Amino acid sequence: MSKPLAPAFPSVDMATFLASSAHDMKNSISLLIRGLEGILGTVDATSFAAYDDLAQMTYEAKRVNSNLIQLLTLYKIGQDIYPFDPQPVALGDFIDIIAAQSGELLKSQGVALEHACEPDLYWDFDEDLVTGIIGNAFNNAIHYTRDRVRLSAARVDGQLELRIEDNGGGYPRHMLDECADCMRGVDFAAGSTGLGLYFSAIVARMHRQRERCGEIRLENGGALGGGCFILRLP
Amino acid sequence: MSFQQADNAPEADFSTRSFLVVDDFQGMRTILRDILRNCGANAKNIATAANGSEAVAQLAATQFDVVLCDFNLGKGKNGQQVLEEAKVRQLVGPACAWIMVTAEKTSDAVSGAAEYQPDAYLLKPITEATLRLRLAKIWAKKMAFAEIDRAVRQGNIAAALACCDERLRTDKANANDLLRTKCDLLLASGDLARARQAFETILAHRDVPWAKAGLARVLMQGGDYAGARTVLEETLAVNAAYLEAHDLMAKTLQAMGDLEAASAAIERAVRISPNSATRQKNLGEVALRLGKTDAAEKAFRRSVTLGEHSILKTADAYLGLAKACTANDRPEEALRALDQVDKTFDDETVRMQSLAVEGMVHHKAGNAGKAKEIAKKLAQTAAASPGETQLTLDTARLLLATGARDEAVALLQGEVRNAPENAALLGEVKDIFSAAAMADEGAALVETSRKDAMEQMNRGVLLAREGRHDEAIAAMRAAREAMPRNVRVLFNLTHVIVAKLQQDGGADPVLIEEARGSLAAAHALAPGEARYATLKASLDTLAGVR
């Protein structure tokens, strides 16, 4: 029995191990969501007592799913294997689609979504990544708004500006600081930064034109007088 | 105005169209079918398939307007391979809208060659809103490109370009695709100056990755590999996972003869997209050249497996595997791979190549008699079937190994003289000599052939410059005789004939015919060369309405 014990932690690449586990979990969650949506589609909202609970469960499952997708995306970006693909996007269509998809979700949380877009606006960006950012911003807005959220796109100072605004009491101080830290490039592991903001900051910075790169900002005020999440892309 | 509106955003009419849904999960097929019905599709116009073979059978039986195909189809063909087979066998026409559905965004799922790309990729989960909008966009794009595609099919590049320009003036929604198509057409027709200008105009406005890659292509086609490398380095510094840039970088470095760096570039591309049969084959070929025989064997094996269900599979991966196994002293496995080649590919050149590799297997295994017998058989056919560089090189390798030195040297010199400016080829020929312990002698032979060819290539042009047109034509005719597949000789023969005709002011039909033949041969060997377009225009002017 002179053989030494194997180390408790075999020398596997931990990041890869976590990523492949996240991948596996994502597949299970997808099946779960598919099942839940299947049930939701077959029952009647007014006569089925647990309808609201089921809808809430679906919402939570989707949140976990999108978190896992963001984790995996961050992993791929870190490994330089994410197929970053900026393409010209028609902002009108982009906003319409997001409104159609998220509108239902926001309504179920008692929030009305309005949207606006400067006409004939096209911009180059990675549609999937930016959709992820907007999803995060909606999740935040749901927490802080009273009952309205507004999504808009416009050209400002030669950049694309996407705004998600609400009519709540505004973002708390720590959120505003956290966001500023994110853009300054504070170490994720050291701080208390949430996944959503970190993801958004990284993705915004990936969008570069010459010496300019994208940024995210949180402010209070805006069109609805509450919190505003602002994404600017060069 | 209302016409413009309809042109840009046609109503997404699902009711009259036919659909094929391909997914290996019954549940997913049901979901997609329901989404299509909610979009207005007629239930009896929606067919489904549970795997690649079923999909291909359905596509062979029916013309579908829309195909919704999952990328991952379990065992057998994947979605990309179904699409490739449908295109190669012409089961779908240009009007068919093909949407590839993927579970996540990976380079693997989105890296098919340009001519085998779907009209769109959609990430799961698919919703009614995304599908509706995406199909409306695809249909609008197909409408915008109908005329351009027709002109391209008829070979009328000028008309296609004019059509792109006209559409670009009004069609904002398709501007990016129109611009890309215009640039691709300029590149394909060899109009490097205009292509370069088009890319640079785009880049002056914005850093657009595909335009950067396009600029690199222009430089590569013009032979400025160092310039291309710089542009690609800039692109990759900003977007490290840009697959096309890695692939172009590998090609550039190979053309420069820097195999080590090319190998590293392919390895980076393989890390981003590990499941491409072609890229694994390329990796294997470079590894083999570098003597990394274990890595080569692994890459070739992977390529063979990945291509198993693909209609686009080539014999190269199998032949490479056989060579790698030979180098790794596993002759039985090499012969097994060759056996597979003979069974899978019904092609005379491939059979010859397989034979050449088999000869080397026997040579390496100490079976000299058999190797010699094969070498003899190949020597006769190789001389008779010019134009197959790889076959010629493999034959020469075997001839050298079996002691038929003079025949091998003649074959290799022929290859060098036909492409004396191809650094990658010269490197490979030198390697073949080195492997036969003839490094110094081989290098000298290559250098002599190269110099001699370069001199002959330019002789006619120099004579023409002095106004000695008839001598120039005679010199280039002799050069063509000696180097029938030398692209520069073929171009230069055309050039000196054009110069003579321009000076004489006559349109001698026999000379014009000769020039046209030479130009066509050059174009067939090296499509997309800059000189093709200018020489063709000069000939058209000389022959036509003057």
Side-chain angles (χ1 to χ4, degrees):
Chain A
M1 287 300 286
S2 60
K3 203 173 138 195
L5 275 174
F9 244 121
S11 61
V12 289
D13 172 4
M14 204 55 200
T16 306
F17 177 69
L18 287 176
S20 68
S21 304
H23 193 261
D24 190 43
M25 286 186 264
K26 186 178 77 74
N27 289 342
S28 293
I29 297 274
S30 296
L31 288 174
L32 180 67
I33 292 171
R34 211 183 281 169
L36 285 167
E37 284 184 328
I39 297 170
L40 277 173
T42 55
V43 298
D44 179 42
T46 47
S47 63
F48 185 61
Y51 187 89
D52 287 347
D53 290 342
L54 210 54
Q56 185 62 31
M57 282 160 67
T58 312
Y59 164 71
E60 291 296 341
K62 280 186 172 171
R63 220 175 68 83
V64 173
N65 192 46
S66 74
N67 281 354
L68 287 172
I69 289 173
Q70 283 174 17
L71 275 177
L72 285 169
T73 304
L74 285 172
Y75 170 75
K76 285 183 195 163
I77 292 170
Q79 296 282 310
D80 278 345
I81 56 171
Y82 180 83
F84 181 61
D85 183 24
Q87 294 277 347
V89 177
L91 268 302
D93 293 343
F94 180 72
I95 299 264
D96 282 350
I97 285 243
I98 290 187
Q101 280 169 356
S102 311
E104 285 301 306
L105 169 70
L106 290 167
K107 207 158 77 187
S108 72
Q109 306 284 315
V111 175
L113 175 67
E114 49 194 84
H115 58 96
C117 177
E118 189 181 310
D120 250 358
L121 186 56
Y122 291 84
W123 210 264
D124 282 35
F125 55 84
D126 187 307
E127 200 171 345
D128 297 318
L129 290 180
V130 173
T131 303
I133 294 187
I134 307 281
N136 284 332
F138 276 146
N139 275 328
N140 274 335
I142 287 171
H143 280 292
Y144 294 104
T145 186
R146 206 164 69 230
D147 56 5
R148 279 166 71 198
V149 170
R150 182 175 195 273
L151 167 64
S152 62
R155 179 197 275 267
V156 177
D157 293 339
Q159 301 203 66
L160 172 69
E161 186 172 280
L162 287 162
R163 298 178 77 96
I164 291 102
E165 298 165 303
D166 65 56
N167 67 344
Y171 290 110
R173 186 75 247 166
H174 76 90
M175 284 275 293
L176 301 177
D177 293 343
E178 211 177 276
C179 183
D181 288 348
C182 259
M183 280 323 297
R184 276 200 298 272
V186 167
D187 180 17
F188 180 50
S192 62
T193 308
L195 172 65
L197 276 182
Y198 182 73
F199 174 86
S200 302
I202 293 280
V203 167
R205 272 205 298 258
M206 280 172 80
H207 288 82
R208 284 192 232 166
Q209 273 302 320
R210 316 279 149 81
E211 69 286 354
R212 299 176 100 170
C213 67
E215 57 170 6
I216 56 166
R217 217 165 60 229
L218 291 183
E219 282 176 11
N220 288 329
L224 299 183
C228 355
F229 172 92
I230 300 155
L231 168 67
R232 275 198 180 197
L233 298 175
Chain B
M1 188 63 205
S2 66
F3 169 79
Q4 195 60 45
Q5 201 72 31
D7 206 26
N8 279 337
E11 190 51 38
D13 180 12
F14 284 65
S15 66
T16 57
R17 285 170 153 119
S18 58
F19 300 84
L20 174 63
V21 172
V22 189
D23 199 299
D24 53 336
F25 283 110
Q26 169 65 43
M28 203 55 211
R29 292 198 295 277
T30 310
I31 289 173
L32 288 171
R33 187 184 251 280
D34 289 346
I35 290 176
L36 285 171
R37 275 163 59 185
N38 288 340
C39 288
N42 191 328
K44 66 176 197 294
N45 290 340
I46 307 173
T48 57
N51 56 51
S53 322
E54 265 184 37
V56 170
Q58 292 258 27
L59 288 161
T62 315
Q63 280 276 327
F64 290 99
D65 297 318
V66 178
V67 179
L68 275 181
C69 182
D70 198 273
F71 176 76
N72 199 339
L73 297 173
K75 284 205 180 80
K77 290 184 217 312
N78 64 28
Q80 181 60 33
Q81 290 169 332
V82 175
L83 170 59
E84 286 164 1
E85 185 149 350
K87 292 241 169 161
V88 170
R89 291 175 53 192
Q90 300 189 326
L91 306 178
V92 293
C96 172
W98 193 293
I99 294 180
M100 201 71 85
V101 180
T102 60
E104 63 184 306
K105 201 165 169 179
T106 60
S107 292
D108 262 342
V110 295
S111 61
E115 61 267 47
Y116 302 113
Q117 258 162 21
D119 294 291
Y121 293 98
L122 275 187
L123 273 180
K124 287 189 217 178
I126 291 184
T127 66
E128 220 182 288
T130 41
L131 187 63
R132 216 186 261 279
L133 193 86
R134 200 52 76 99
L135 269 173
K137 264 192 207 164
I138 294 172
W139 286 328
K141 187 181 161 191
K142 290 205 181 284
M143 220 188 275
F145 276 81
E147 207 179 323
I148 298 165
D149 289 343
R150 204 176 313 122
V152 171
R153 273 198 300 279
Q154 291 165 351
N156 193 345
I157 303 298
L161 283 168
C163 193
C164 282
D165 281 335
E166 195 187 318
R167 290 228 153 235
L168 273 166
R169 254 176 255 134
T170 52
D171 188 346
K172 229 179 157 187
N174 292 302
N176 187 62
D177 291 315
L178 286 165
L179 212 50
R180 259 186 112 145
T181 302
K182 180 185 164 177
C183 291
D184 286 345
L185 286 171
L186 287 171
L187 254 182
S189 64
D191 195 342
L192 296 189
R194 274 177 75 197
R196 181 176 188 146
Q197 194 190 6
F199 287 124
E200 280 173 347
T201 308
I202 296 164
L203 291 170
H205 181 59
R206 258 188 102 78
D207 269 342
V208 181
W210 65 259
K212 275 270 196 192
L215 185 58
R217 275 180 202 281
V218 170
L219 296 169
M220 286 167 73
Q221 257 184 47
D224 180 3
Y225 295 113
R229 186 174 58 185
T230 306
V231 169
L232 293 169
E233 277 165 356
E234 283 167 18
T235 313
L236 288 168
V238 182
N239 188 351
Y242 189 26
L243 204 52
E244 192 189 351
H246 284 294
D247 287 341
L248 290 175
M249 182 67 108
K251 259 191 205 158
T252 302
L253 294 166
Q254 253 175 303
M256 294 170 92
D258 189 346
L259 286 180
E260 285 284 354
S263 163
I266 303 176
E267 270 168 38
R268 277 191 292 275
V270 160
R271 216 170 68 81
I272 296 164
S273 173
N275 296 323
S276 146
T278 310
R279 215 169 277 117
Q280 293 283 356
K281 182 213 72 181
N282 292 345
L283 182 62
E285 282 173 350
V286 175
L288 198 58
R289 289 281 313 280
L290 288 167
K292 298 176 184 166
T293 54
D294 286 332
E297 184 178 333
K298 195 173 147 218
F300 283 128
R301 265 189 212 288
R302 186 107 184 86
S303 178
V304 165
T305 308
L306 288 168
E308 193 187 343
H309 302 289
S310 168
I311 196 160
L312 297 173
K313 71 173 153 195
T314 64
D316 297 340
Y318 295 82
L319 293 169
L321 177 58
K323 287 182 193 175
C325 287
T326 311
N328 291 333
D329 287 323
R330 279 205 292 284
E332 303 83 17
E333 279 180 60
L335 291 178
R336 250 200 313 275
L338 293 176
D339 193 41
Q340 264 192 298
V341 173
D342 299 339
K343 279 188 189 137
T344 316
F345 301 94
D346 183 23
D347 180 301
E348 194 48 33
T349 307
V350 168
R351 236 188 311 281
M352 292 297 167
Q353 262 181 286
S354 166
L355 203 56
V357 179
E358 189 190 330
M360 285 305 283
V361 178
H362 293 308
H363 167 72
K364 186 104 192 284
N367 194 342
K370 199 145 190 194
K372 220 169 209 156
E373 189 187 313
I374 291 174
K376 211 176 232 167
K377 199 162 139 195
L378 279 169
Q380 291 154 3
T381 40
S385 65
E388 298 294 345
T389 301
Q390 208 47 54
L391 171 59
T392 310
L393 295 183
D394 285 339
T395 303
R397 196 176 282 123
L398 179 63
L399 286 169
L400 276 180
T402 54
R405 181 191 170 281
D406 294 346
E407 283 152 298
V409 168
L411 285 180
L412 292 173
Q413 278 184 314
E415 286 304 320
V416 170
R417 289 154 62 91
N418 276 316
E421 292 163 294
N422 182 338
L425 176 83
L426 299 190
E428 196 165 356
V429 171
K430 282 183 198 160
D431 280 0
I432 292 172
F433 278 122
S434 302
M438 290 172 62
D440 294 341
E441 193 185 349
L445 279 166
V446 167
E447 185 51 23
T448 318
S449 308
R450 190 191 68 81
K451 260 196 179 147
D452 174 47
M454 295 298 285
E455 201 188 294
Q456 283 202 61
M457 277 152 61
N458 295 326
R459 194 174 300 150
V461 180
L462 294 174
L463 287 165
R465 209 171 285 161
E466 292 166 21
R468 294 153 74 182
H469 293 289
D470 291 328
E471 286 170 71
I473 293 175
M476 288 326 296
R477 275 184 189 142
R480 185 181 180 182
E481 188 77 21
M483 309 174 259
R485 287 177 297 110
N486 182 314
V487 176
R488 195 110 85 81
V489 164
L490 294 166
F491 276 128
N492 287 356
L493 175 56
T494 314
H495 170 82
V496 295
I497 293 176
V498 166
K500 176 186 165 62
L501 292 174
Q502 279 170 345
Q503 191 207 295
D504 293 359
D508 180 344
V510 179
L511 273 183
I512 287 187
E513 217 29 63
E514 185 181 359
R516 279 201 195 285
S518 187
L519 186 61
H523 187 55
L525 285 166
E529 280 276 341
R531 295 179 71 190
Y532 176 73
T534 35
L535 284 169
K536 186 168 183 301
S538 304
L539 274 174
D540 287 347
T541 314
L542 283 165
V545 280
R546 31 169 295 130

